[in-house]
DNA sequence: AGGACAAAAAATGAATGCAAAATAGCCAGC
DNA sequence: GCTGGCTATTTTGCATTCATTTTTTGTCCT
């Protein structure tokens, strides 16, 4: 008994309906987007075998476009394709996660450096706004809000870098990590909070001064610390009160 | 007149023969590798339309595995897939190239930083060796040799970073740029040479001292300068010729 | 002669069919 | 009772086929 997928009827979306608004003419493109989200959101257990047949039924399509989508997801590193053995959700070892975090750190570090060359005062103001908002979440111990705002800040920096290639790569790696995040549902350790806030202050400061190489350093360290916290959390899942109420 | 591909009989390899030694069981994987090389090496003119039928005949396969490979190449950014209009070799604008170079700079900068944490004395010695070899090419005005050795040095640094994820991403972006390099066949400007050599000295120095954040900075600047030279070369293809106008 | 429309040809997108490989199920033998 | 080998079923990989869409070409009208 495999029980490949925790099937709940029609998990992804109604097979027929043109669900998402995302403009994507081709069927295979539509499938790709849906499957990617489906995998990223952690709906398939790690390392689970995913028979094409089953996915086809779920999505209401034939195998051809599905297989095309699978190949792309494999190239993106979300799943792996064993020859003659089908697709499995890629299992990330701790080492893989460390590597991913480091690459993310490098990309954000780069984003900060580039942002300093191109960012407008208005954009900085917007980020300051987010920063204060995040500080509010911090004071209210609102982890979820904090986390979301934090993510928006980092995305703003990447956007300010004015580099679509970077942005795409960033989104790709972020997806791979997010998959784990959804599954493990790890949150930041409380004790990291104060430290992270201080680091964010420094980030803003360097950004205001357009100190590219300095910001680059700070961002790398910031992400490195994040990495450490995340890895520790994975090996020791229990941490002070996790769920926000 | 379409003349989509500069067809020379059977351009890629004999359709039947198991050409490459690269172990890749599946046909689609084999196709992917061959097609990628074929595109990277610039055998297809920019923006040229590539009828699937023609590629199928070239490769001696049916359309199914070919289309799978095309989807992957599109995801990698080497080609683009227009709906119902087939695949075209992705045309890189000057802006695209700038972005790519910057991302490469970011990745190498990251590689340098990580390398400082993990590199062994033996690896540093090996890089020093390459450095001297490169210096020899520089003295002999051997651009080709210089270029190759230079590439090996940068690859050594990426390898020393001990991060397979980074290495894969690096290879991907390098491929996209190489495609242009093959096509445009641009080389370094002579006047950049001396400067580049000095920068390499500084790279080695920082590496020896394991000064991660410093090396990160130097590498980024080094690649940035490379970018400037490359872009200038694209707009003004003449080498050494009076850059004035 | 030039342009617009229409039909034919070709190319793409997706579905189906078929062969090979892998998995599982089963029986015999130890 | 367990292991080892053999067969049946499932699943993957690729080729082929069918349905649209696009592109080309030919013709007619102005």
């Amino acid at each position: 008994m495999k029980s490949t997928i925790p099937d709940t009827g029609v998990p992804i979306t109604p097979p027929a309906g043109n669900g998402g608004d995302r403009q994507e003419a081709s069927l295979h493109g539509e499938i790709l987007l849906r499957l990617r989200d489906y995998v990223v959101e952690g709906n398939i257990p790690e390392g689970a075998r995913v028979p094409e047949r089953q996915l086809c039924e779920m999505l209401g399509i034939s195998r051809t476009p599905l297989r095309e989508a699978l190949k792309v997801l494999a190239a993106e590193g979300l799943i792996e394709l064993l020859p003659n053995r089908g697709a499995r959700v890629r299992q990330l070892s701790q080492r893989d996660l460390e590597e991913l975090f480091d690459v993310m750190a490098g990309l954000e570090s780069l984003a900060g450096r580039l942002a300093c060359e191109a960012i407008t005062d208005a954009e900085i103001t917007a980020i300051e706004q987010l920063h204060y908002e995040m500080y509010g979440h911090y004071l209210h111990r609102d982890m979820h809000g904090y986390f979301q705002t934090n993510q928006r800040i980092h995305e703003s920096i990447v956007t300010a870098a004015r580099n679509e290639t970077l942005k795409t790569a960033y989104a790709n790696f972020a997806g791979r990590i997010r998959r784990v995040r959804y599954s493990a549902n790890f949150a930041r350790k409380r004790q990291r909070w104060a430290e992270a806030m201080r680091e964010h202050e420094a980030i803003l400061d360097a950004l205001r001064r357009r100190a590219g190489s300095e910001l680059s350093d700070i961002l790398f360290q910031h992400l490195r610390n994040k990495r450490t916290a995340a890895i520790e959390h994975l090996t020791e899942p229990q941490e002070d009160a996790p769920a926000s109420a």
Side-chain angles (χ1 to χ4, degrees), chain A:
Chain A
M1 47 176 226
K2 293 277 106 100
S3 138
T4 52
I5 289 186
D7 74 325
T8 60
V10 180
I12 297 192
T13 60
N18 187 4
D21 306 286
R22 293 169 296 192
Q23 76 292 13
E24 184 64 44
S26 62
L27 179 51
H28 123 268
E30 174 77 20
I31 294 304
L32 179 58
L33 292 175
R34 284 208 270 168
L35 246 187
R36 178 163 29 210
D37 284 356
Y38 193 67
V39 173
V40 165
E41 283 168 16
N43 296 86
I44 306 179
E46 287 222 337
R49 188 170 175 186
V50 186
E52 297 175 0
R53 187 78 173 247
Q54 193 172 345
L55 285 175
C56 288
E57 287 171 14
M58 256 169 41
L59 296 157
I61 56 166
S62 83
R63 282 176 53 215
T64 308
L66 175 83
R67 285 172 56 79
E68 289 172 354
L70 286 179
K71 295 287 189 301
V72 173
L73 291 183
E76 288 175 6
L78 275 172
I79 64 177
E80 50 189 354
L81 255 41
L82 295 99
N84 290 321
R85 266 183 226 180
R88 310 179 99 83
V89 174
R90 182 162 168 200
Q91 192 142 356
L92 295 177
S93 66
Q94 177 170 326
R95 178 65 201 148
D96 289 329
L97 264 182
E98 289 170 2
E99 290 194 4
L100 271 173
F101 266 97
D102 278 351
V103 172
M104 285 289 283
L107 291 181
E108 284 212 32
S109 164
L110 168 64
R113 201 192 282 269
L114 295 178
C116 284
E117 298 176 359
I119 199 167
T120 65
D121 290 337
E123 282 176 309
I124 291 186
T125 307
I127 291 180
E128 280 170 342
Q129 210 66 35
L130 287 171
H131 181 77
Y132 297 137
E133 188 182 317
M134 188 175 75
Y135 190 62
H137 293 312
Y138 168 66
L139 290 182
H140 289 84
R141 295 281 190 272
D142 176 7
M143 259 201 168
H144 186 67
Y146 174 90
F147 192 77
Q148 278 204 318
T149 311
N150 173 68
Q151 196 161 318
R152 284 176 64 198
I153 289 177
H154 286 279
E155 274 164 13
S156 298
I157 293 176
V158 173
T159 300
R162 306 248 191 305
N163 187 318
E164 283 307 308
T165 309
L166 167 60
K167 203 170 180 179
T168 303
Y170 183 83
N172 179 354
F173 288 109
R176 293 200 224 174
I177 289 187
R178 184 156 15 174
R179 203 217 152 274
V180 179
R181 187 164 325 193
Y182 270 98
S183 308
N185 193 25
F186 60 69
R188 274 244 195 57
K189 294 194 171 185
R190 288 257 161 121
Q191 68 195 54
R192 258 290 292 161
W193 256 15
E195 203 181 318
M197 279 304 304
R198 279 197 301 278
E199 287 167 6
H200 267 269
E201 298 274 7
I203 289 170
L204 249 175
D205 180 55
L207 197 53
R208 283 199 204 91
R209 288 184 287 112
R210 266 89 170 173
S213 112
E214 189 180 330
L215 177 56
S216 168
D217 253 26
I218 297 172
L219 275 170
F220 182 81
Q221 263 321 121
H222 178 59
L223 272 283
R224 249 303 165 83
N225 296 338
K226 236 180 185 168
R227 168 187 121 157
T228 305
I231 301 294
E232 278 175 12
H233 185 86
L234 275 190
T235 47
E236 175 108 22
Q238 251 47 277
E239 174 60 19
D240 51 19
S244 50

